[in-house]
């Protein structure tokens, strides 16, 4: 059911667990390599990712004295056996397990047809693992533009995010892609890591006054809020999602800011990264859709 959760001990007390910064897969150090080096001070239970950065780990010992010895020997010093990395170490403690399903969560579907949202389609395994690796290598060879919470690349027309900027501390807020800017079909190809995408259909006019809520907002544990209907779907790596018709024009969509998700009683940990290829066609002329209440061309 997932890895242990760690936090800082109260009053700086020692523990058998160490938080080690500047050390991890993102800097070329595998968990096995880290475990081997730290095991010279005592029996290691395991090495875990401290967060999603790939540069910080938790090293757990059987004995507290082993952690004390490792901290004394390695803290704030370069470690020759770990590529000369200058390590920053402090004690860490195991926290009580946190309830994965919070009061903002709703059941997550695996198939688009189960959501009952007209115009929404999902194709798992739309590309092969080899094609995924090729696409990721291609984008990593190109420059990224850094936004407040994520990085983007543009191909063809450049989207000006100043007209749809997300406030600090908010993830991918509920939104509908601008009607007047893009045509009726929008494709999204998910690579590298999985995620949950939520959809909301607001009552007429309610979305105009709605706050930009992130995944930690206090909402009803239901698929129906006070002024909107909610649906959620699991997007596995290499899957293609199509927005068309009502799904494209009338349903807000967003990605909750979770580190783990509960999908059919299985805990799914978010990957260290997720890359989404979003394919849109620039609209020529005003939008004439059947949802004028959401349409900037008709309102």
């Amino acid at each position: 059911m997932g890895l242990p959760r760690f936090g800082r001990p109260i009053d700086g007390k020692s523990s058998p667990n160490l938080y080690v910064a500047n050390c991890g897969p993102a800097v070329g150090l595998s968990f096995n390599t880290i475990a081997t080096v730290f095991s010279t001070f005592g029996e290691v239970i395991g090495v875990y990712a401290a967060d999603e950065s790939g540069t910080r780990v938790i090293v757990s010992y059987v004995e507290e004295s082993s952690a004390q010895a490792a901290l004394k020997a390695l803290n704030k010093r370069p470690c020759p056996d770990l590529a000369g990395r200058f390590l920053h170490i402090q004690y860490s403690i195991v926290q009580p397990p946190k309830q994965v399903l919070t009061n903002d969560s709703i059941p997550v579907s695996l198939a688009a047809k189960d959501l009952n949202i007209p115009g929404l389609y999902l194709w798992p395994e739309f590309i092969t693992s080899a094609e995924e690796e090729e696409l990721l290598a291609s984008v990593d060879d190109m420059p990224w533009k850094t936004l407040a919470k994520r990085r983007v690349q543009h191909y063809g027309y450049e989207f000006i995010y100043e007209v749809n900027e997300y406030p600090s501390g908010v993830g991918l807020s509920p939104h509908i892609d601008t009607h007047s800017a893009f045509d009726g079909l929008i494709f999204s190809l998910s690579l590298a890591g999985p995620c949950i995408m939520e959809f909301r259909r607001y009552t007429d006019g309610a979305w105009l006054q709605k706050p930009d809520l992130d995944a930690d907002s206090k909402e009803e544990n239901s698929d129906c809020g006070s002024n909107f209907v909610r649906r959620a779907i699991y997007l596995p790596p290499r899957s293609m999602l199509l927005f068309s018709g009502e799904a494209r024009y009338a349903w807000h969509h967003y990605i909750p800011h979770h580190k783990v998700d509960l999908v059919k009683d299985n805990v799914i940990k978010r990957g260290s990264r997720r890359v989404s290829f979003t394919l849109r066609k620039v609209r020529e002329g005003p939008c004439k859709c059947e949802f004028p209440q959401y349409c900037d061309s008709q309102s």
Side-chain angles (χ1 to χ4, degrees), residues 9 14 30 35 46 51 57 110 116 118 141 147 149 155 166 180 187 232 259 265 269 274 285:
S14 63
S30 69
D51 51 36
V57 300
L110 300 178
N116 195 27
D141 284 340
L147 304 180
K149 290 289 183 180
Y155 312 97
Y166 305 124
S180 62
F187 294 87
K259 291 186 177 179
D265 295 326
K269 186 178 185 298
R274 173 180 175 267

Side-chain angles (χ1 to χ4, degrees), residues 103-284:
N103 62 348
D104 75 302
S105 299
I106 58 175
V108 177
S109 299
L110 300 178
K113 62 181 178 61
D114 296 334
L115 271 63
N116 195 27
I117 300 178
L120 188 71
Y121 302 91
L122 177 68
W123 291 276
E125 296 296 332
F126 186 79
I127 62 173
T128 66
S129 297
E131 290 170 330
E132 178 185 38
E133 293 179 6
E134 184 177 350
L135 286 169
L136 290 172
S138 178
V139 297
D140 286 337
D141 284 340
M142 299 181 66
W144 291 87
K145 179 177 181 179
T146 301
L147 304 180
K149 290 289 183 180
R150 56 196 172 109
R151 300 187 305 169
V152 298
Q153 292 181 13
H154 299 102
Y155 312 97
Y157 289 95
E158 180 174 355
F159 189 87
I160 306 301
Y161 285 93
E162 284 73 11
V163 303
N164 192 26
E165 185 177 10
Y166 305 124
S168 177
V170 176
L172 183 58
S173 303
H175 70 282
I176 298 175
D177 284 28
T178 308
H179 287 206
S180 62
F182 307 115
D183 217 331
L185 301 180
I186 297 177
F187 294 87
S188 178
L189 177 64
S190 296
L191 305 180
C195 77
I196 301 300
M197 181 170 284
E198 183 177 313
F199 298 86
R200 299 179 179 183
R201 179 70 193 267
Y202 287 82
T203 56
D204 290 349
W207 67 279
L208 295 173
Q209 289 81 37
K210 74 176 183 69
D212 283 333
L213 301 173
D214 63 17
D216 297 319
S217 302
K218 303 299 183 182
E219 299 175 352
E220 300 179 35
N221 184 14
S222 168
D223 63 353
C224 294
S226 58
N227 61 354
F228 57 84
V229 177
R230 306 172 68 193
R231 302 284 187 269
I233 192 169
Y234 173 66
L235 302 182
R238 299 179 297 280
S239 64
M240 177 69 84
L241 186 68
L242 167 62
F243 303 80
S244 66
E246 182 179 322
R248 183 268 185 268
Y249 288 121
W251 286 76
H252 288 69
H253 63 276
Y254 88 113
I255 298 175
H257 193 64
H258 291 171
K259 291 186 177 179
V260 293
D261 297 295
L262 188 64
V263 181
K264 302 295 184 182
D265 295 326
N266 294 316
V267 175
I268 306 296
K269 186 178 185 298
R270 297 278 178 94
S272 59
R273 69 186 302 209
R274 173 180 175 267
V275 177
S276 173
F277 278 79
T278 304
L279 294 86
R280 308 179 181 96
K281 182 180 179 181
V282 174
R283 181 180 296 280
E284 297 180 0

